[in-house]
């Protein structure tokens, strides 16, 4: 489902966006120094694919990794995703454990 969709980093609204049909999934963030704080995950209820959230987060983490930023997840769903997907723990700042 996310293969054809393009991840957009909306700097003005400080959120990652992914458009699926007429709906937008969003992750709001705050960027401070070389750290990106992922604060809010918004998935429209019309998007019912069980794997959508995971696929969306993978796209976001790939983007963050390319930009060489550290991730500070303040949203419980995003923190849980990192715990399940250990390969993204390397993006956490030194000393932060989830």
């Amino acid at each position: 489902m996310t293969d054809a969709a393009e991840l957009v980093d909306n700097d003005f609204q400080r959120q990652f966006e992914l458009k699926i049909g007429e709906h937008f999934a969003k992750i709001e963030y705050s960027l401070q120094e070389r750290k990106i704080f992922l604060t809010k995950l918004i998935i429209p209820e019309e998007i019912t694919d069980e794997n959508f959230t995971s696929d969306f987060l993978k796209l976001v983490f790939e983007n963050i990794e390319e930009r060489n930023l550290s991730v500070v997840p303040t949203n419980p769903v995003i923190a849980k995703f990192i715990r399940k997907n250990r390969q993204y723990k390397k993006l956490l700042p030194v000393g932060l454990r989830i």
Side-chain angles (χ1 to χ4, degrees):
M1 180 179 228
T2 57
D3 294 340
E6 183 177 335
L7 181 69
V8 174
D9 180 3
N10 185 333
D11 287 338
F12 182 71
Q13 292 186 319
R14 293 187 310 273
Q15 64 188 16
F16 291 103
E17 303 171 346
L18 191 63
K19 185 175 183 182
I20 302 296
E22 297 296 314
H23 307 288
F24 278 96
K26 304 171 189 170
I27 296 178
E28 295 178 2
Y29 66 82
S30 173
L31 188 60
Q32 297 176 11
E33 296 175 12
R34 300 290 306 156
K35 295 181 186 132
I36 189 163
F37 292 76
L38 302 179
T39 57
K40 191 172 185 182
L41 174 65
I42 303 166
I43 306 291
E45 58 187 46
E46 293 84 4
I47 298 176
T48 57
D49 183 355
E50 294 177 8
N51 296 321
F52 177 80
T53 301
S54 178
D55 293 343
F56 180 34
L57 287 169
K58 286 177 185 176
L59 286 173
V60 169
F61 279 99
E62 287 171 12
N63 180 286
I64 291 169
E65 190 171 14
E66 288 172 8
R67 294 166 55 187
N68 202 26
L69 297 172
S70 294
V71 174
V72 180
T74 61
N75 179 284
V77 174
I78 297 171
K80 183 178 177 181
F81 173 81
I82 293 174
R83 277 193 296 275
K84 284 185 174 180
N85 297 274
R86 296 187 160 293
Q87 70 269 29
Y88 297 115
K89 283 193 172 192
K90 65 184 177 194
L91 297 176
L92 297 173
V94 175
L96 180 65
R97 294 190 331 190
I98 296 182

